[in-house]
C-alpha cells in the first residue's frame, strides 16, 4: 500500500516568491495564495504603489516588498531583474500582462509591439536574470501565466494570442534546459477569469452568454480559483513536474 501524501510538501515557509503583475486580479490572487502557504512576497507591477496586496500579504504574517516596473520598458525590466536576482528568490511567477482588442486587419502595430513586449519578451528577460541564482544552487520554481489562447486562436486579440502561444513554447524550452539543473518551469493557463482584462467580454451580453454556455462549470472563474495550482507548482509537491501547462478553466478545453 502506498504511503499517504505528506501535506507539508505544500508548505512554502521560508521561501521568497516574486510575483509580477501582483497589484490586482490573477497576480494578487496568486500572491495571496503563496503568502497563505508561508512565502514572503516580492510584488512587481506598474501600479504596485496603489495596490492593497501588501496589506493582504502582511495580514497573513508574511513579509512584502513592492517594486514598480513597466514591463513594456526593456531597461526597467533589466534593472529590476538584476536587483531581484541579488535577493536570490526561490519562486518566480511571471504573471504581468496586457491585452489589446482590435480586428487583425486593423490591429495597430504599436499595440502589437507592446503586447509582445509585456507578455513575452519581458518574461524571458526577467526570467534569465532571476533564474540565474536558482540554476547556480540547483533549485527553484518558475511559473508562467499562459492562457486558453496558448491553445486556441481567440477573436480580435492577435497579439495576445501570439504572446501567450509563445509563453507556452517558452515554458517547454526552458524546462528542457533547466529541469536537469533542478529548476522546475511550468505554466498555469487560466480560463475566463473575472478580471479587468475580461471586463469587455463580461459587459457584452451576447459574448458573455456564449462563453458561459461553453464552460462546464457554468460560471466565470475567480482569481482565487488559481490558488491551488499556484501553490502546487511553487512547492516541493511538483518537484517531478516539468514543462507542464496546467489549465484552470472550469472545463473549457475539455468541451
Amino acid at each position: 500500500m502506498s504511503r499517504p501524501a505528506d501535506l507539508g510538501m505544500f508548505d512554502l515557509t521560508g521561501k521568497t516568491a516574486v510575483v509580477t503583475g501582483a497589484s490586482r486580479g490573477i497576480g494578487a490572487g496568486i500572491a495571496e495564495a503563496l503568502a497563505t502557504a508561508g512565502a514572503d512576497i516580492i510584488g512587481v507591477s506598474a501600479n504596485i504603489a496603489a495596490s492593497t496586496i501588501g496589506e493582504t500579504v502582511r495580514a497573513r504574517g508574511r513579509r512584502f516588498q513592492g517594486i514598480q516596473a513597466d514591463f513594456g520598458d526593456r531597461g526597467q525590466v533589466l534593472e529590476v531583474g538584476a536587483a531581484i536576482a541579488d535577493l536570490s528568490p526561490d519562486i518566480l511567477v511571471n504573471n504581468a500582462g496586457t491585452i489589446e482588442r482590435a480586428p487583425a486587419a486593423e490591429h495597430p502595430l504599436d499595440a502589437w509591439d507592446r503586447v509582445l513586449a509585456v507578455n513575452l519578451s519581458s518574461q524571458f528577460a526577467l526570467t534569465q536574470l532571476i533564474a540565474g541564482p536558482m540554476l547556480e544552487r540547483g533549485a527553484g520554481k518558475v511559473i508562467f501565466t499562459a492562457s486558453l489562447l496558448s491553445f486556441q486562436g481567440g477573436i480580435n486579440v492577435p497579439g495576445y494570442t501570439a504572446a501567450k502561444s509563445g509563453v507556452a513554447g517558452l515554458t517547454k524550452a526552458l524546462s528542457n534546459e533547466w529541469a536537469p539543473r533542478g529548476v522546475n518551469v511550468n505554466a498555469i493557463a487560466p480560463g475566463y477569469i473575472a478580471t479587468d482584462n475580461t471586463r469587455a467580454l463580461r459587459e457584452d451580453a451576447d459574448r458573455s452568454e456564449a462563453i458561459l454556455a461553453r464552460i462546464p462549470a457554468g460560471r466565470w472563474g475567480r482569481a482565487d480559483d488559481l490558488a491551488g495550482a499556484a501553490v502546487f507548482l511553487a512547492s516541493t509537491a511538483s518537484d517531478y513536474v516539468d514543462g507542464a501547462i496546467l489549465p484552470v478553466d472550469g472545463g473549457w478545453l475539455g468541451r
Side-chain angles (χ1 to χ4, degrees), residues 97-121:
T98 189
I99 193 166
E100 296 283 350
R101 300 182 187 277
E106 300 128 27
H107 203 84
L109 290 180
D110 59 348
W112 167 276
D113 288 343
R114 178 162 178 79
V115 169
L116 267 289
V118 172
N119 293 14
L120 182 59
S121 296

Side-chain angles (χ1 to χ4, degrees), residues 7-27:
L7 294 182
M9 68 177 62
F10 297 98
D11 185 5
L12 300 180
T13 301
K15 304 295 185 180
T16 298
V18 179
V19 182
T20 70
S23 63
R24 59 186 180 179
I26 289 173

Side-chain angles (χ1 to χ4, degrees), residues 15-251:
K15 304 295 185 180
T16 298
V18 179
V19 182
T20 70
S23 63
R24 59 186 180 179
I26 289 173
I30 288 176
E32 180 178 359
L34 299 183
T36 301
D40 296 321
I41 305 296
I42 300 172
V44 189
S45 173
N47 301 307
I48 198 69
S51 174
T52 61
I53 185 58
E55 298 171 16
T56 300
V57 168
R58 294 185 185 104
R60 301 293 186 276
R62 308 314 309 167
R63 291 177 294 184
F64 178 83
Q65 179 181 356
I67 299 176
Q68 183 171 323
D70 177 357
F71 284 86
D73 184 320
R74 173 69 57 81
Q76 287 190 38
V77 171
L78 295 178
E79 182 179 353
V80 166
I84 293 175
D86 287 341
L87 302 174
S88 295
D90 306 281
I91 301 155
L92 169 61
V93 181
N94 281 304
N95 171 74
T98 189
I99 193 166
E100 296 283 350
R101 300 182 187 277
E106 300 128 27
H107 203 84
L109 290 180
D110 59 348
W112 167 276
D113 288 343
R114 178 162 178 79
V115 169
L116 267 289
V118 172
N119 293 14
L120 182 59
S121 296
S122 70
Q123 314 286 340
F124 179 59
L126 192 72
T127 303
Q128 273 191 317
L129 292 165
I130 295 178
M134 296 180 181
L135 294 166
E136 288 177 5
R137 65 177 178 265
K141 303 284 185 174
V142 176
I143 304 167
F144 288 92
T145 298
S147 170
L148 294 182
L149 299 190
S150 298
F151 305 94
Q152 302 175 328
I155 299 171
N156 295 334
V157 285
Y160 187 84
T161 299
K164 290 301 187 179
S165 295
V167 165
L170 181 59
T171 298
K172 297 172 186 177
L174 296 182
S175 175
N176 289 342
E177 295 189 37
W178 294 352
R181 301 177 65 182
V183 176
N184 301 89
V185 185
N186 295 289
I188 299 171
Y192 284 92
I193 310 296
T195 65
D196 289 346
N197 274 359
T198 60
R199 185 182 304 277
L201 299 178
R202 287 180 286 118
E203 291 179 347
D204 182 326
D206 292 338
R207 285 295 304 279
S208 181
E209 182 179 356
I211 288 168
L212 284 172
R214 176 169 168 163
I215 300 173
R219 64 172 176 85
W220 287 80
R222 302 181 301 268
D224 59 9
D225 286 319
L226 304 170
V231 171
F232 167 63
L233 292 178
S235 71
T236 60
S238 62
D239 279 355
Y240 198 57
V241 179
D242 296 280
I245 303 170
L246 174 60
V248 182
D249 64 353

